[in-house]
Amino acid sequence: GAVVSQHPSRVICKSGTSVKIECRSLDFQATTMFWYRQFPKKSLMLMATSNEGSKATYEQGVEKDKFLINHASLTLSTLTVTSAHPEDSSFYICSARAPANTEAFFGQGTRLTVV
Amino acid sequence: EDKVVQSPLSLVVHEGDTVTLNCSYEVTNFRSLLWYKQEKKAPTFLFMLTSSGIEKKSGRLSSILDKKELFSILNITATQTGDSAIYLCAVEESQGAQKLVFGQGTRLTINP
């Protein structure tokens, strides 16, 4: 099946710094990628839809200036958590869909810890 | 607002038992319903359902969709300890970005 690679898998950063997470579709082109956040023992919460070549679409309640999304190419989307705070600590997962009528494939996820 | 509700939220059974997980949904523009299994990292795909009444089967797992009553079930027979995971149900919209709306998940624990 299609492969989505997410990097890094784990990151620890200091409060106030910014962290960039990459999501790559390895064997297909993805015009749309999705970014999710998952709190412990909770389900996936969609943060934003990343659109290649245009601005991301954010879900209600998600701060676009805090969670910067860039989808510069058909195989790469990045999520930057700016000025991170301990409450941003979470598991972030991206997903991408191969051409129409197929399931969404997920990256391995990134566990962010802000200290 | 689109909503996906899974039940039960948590389930503990013994190895060999059969379990049924439920997923009900309210979505304005339905395209498909998907089941995922999540262990320690990212979810892995199990099934995609688009038509009512057609059972999809993979080994000991099976799933069916009822588009009239707006729900789906995931069955696991002869459960094994390796089936312990969180099972996520998601509904895909047919319009716009075709985003997935996830349910809360069912945490399934299989005891030996």
Side-chain angles (χ1 to χ4, degrees):
Chain A
V3 177
V4 175
S5 175
Q6 190 172 337
H7 176 81
S9 58
R10 182 182 289 269
V11 59
I12 301 173
C13 71
K14 288 187 176 179
S15 197
T17 62
S18 295
V19 173
K20 182 186 282 188
I21 303 169
E22 292 187 350
C23 180
R24 292 180 187 273
S25 56
L26 296 186
D27 52 0
F28 65 97
Q29 294 183 331
T31 53
T32 304
M33 291 185 178
F34 302 91
W35 287 96
Y36 295 87
R37 182 173 179 176
Q38 188 175 33
F39 292 99
K41 300 185 179 180
K42 298 284 185 182
S43 189
L44 299 174
M45 182 192 77
L46 180 65
M47 298 175 65
T49 302
S50 171
N51 306 299
E52 187 268 336
S54 65
K55 291 182 180 179
T57 305
Y58 289 82
E59 295 299 302
Q60 196 171 10
V62 178
E63 298 176 60
K64 61 180 181 183
D65 294 330
K66 174 138 186 91
F67 299 99
L68 299 179
I69 290 173
N70 184 279
H71 195 148
S73 77
L74 286 170
T75 59
L76 174 64
S77 175
T78 60
L79 167 68
T80 301
V81 182
T82 62
S83 188
H85 289 285
E87 56 264 33
D88 298 325
S89 298
S90 192
F91 192 56
Y92 294 86
I93 307 178
C94 71
S95 78
R97 179 178 286 109
N101 299 321
T102 65
E103 69 274 18
F105 295 93
F106 286 86
Q108 306 94 315
T110 298
R111 183 159 304 282
L112 170 64
T113 304
V114 184
V115 298
Chain B
E1 187 180 318
D2 296 342
K3 192 163 66 170
V4 178
V5 178
Q6 288 184 247
S7 64
L9 295 181
S10 181
L11 183 59
V12 181
V13 300
H14 289 293
E15 207 167 17
D17 288 350
T18 293
V19 297
T20 299
L21 310 183
N22 304 293
C23 176
S24 63
Y25 62 92
E26 293 175 27
V27 174
T28 307
N29 300 295
F30 176 88
R31 180 189 176 113
S32 65
L33 184 144
L34 300 95
W35 284 96
Y36 288 88
K37 178 182 181 182
Q38 184 178 26
E39 295 174 90
K40 292 185 178 173
K41 297 252 177 168
T44 54
F45 172 78
L46 295 175
F47 298 109
M48 174 190 264
L49 303 159
T50 55
S51 302
S52 261
I54 298 174
E55 185 183 54
K56 291 217 172 177
K57 206 167 166 61
S58 175
R60 296 177 293 103
L61 278 67
S62 64
S63 184
I64 197 162
L65 172 68
D66 185 329
K67 289 167 75 172
K68 183 180 176 186
E69 299 298 328
L70 308 183
F71 80 91
S72 173
I73 59 171
L74 174 69
N75 274 323
I76 308 175
T77 60
T79 52
Q80 302 170 358
T81 54
D83 296 327
S84 296
I86 296 174
Y87 289 83
L88 296 167
C89 170
V91 173
E92 179 187 8
E93 296 179 341
S94 62
Q95 294 184 352
Q98 299 175 342
K99 63 185 182 184
L100 295 178
V101 179
F102 280 86
Q104 322 93 301
T106 294
R107 181 177 290 275
L108 177 63
T109 303
I110 310 296
N111 289 326

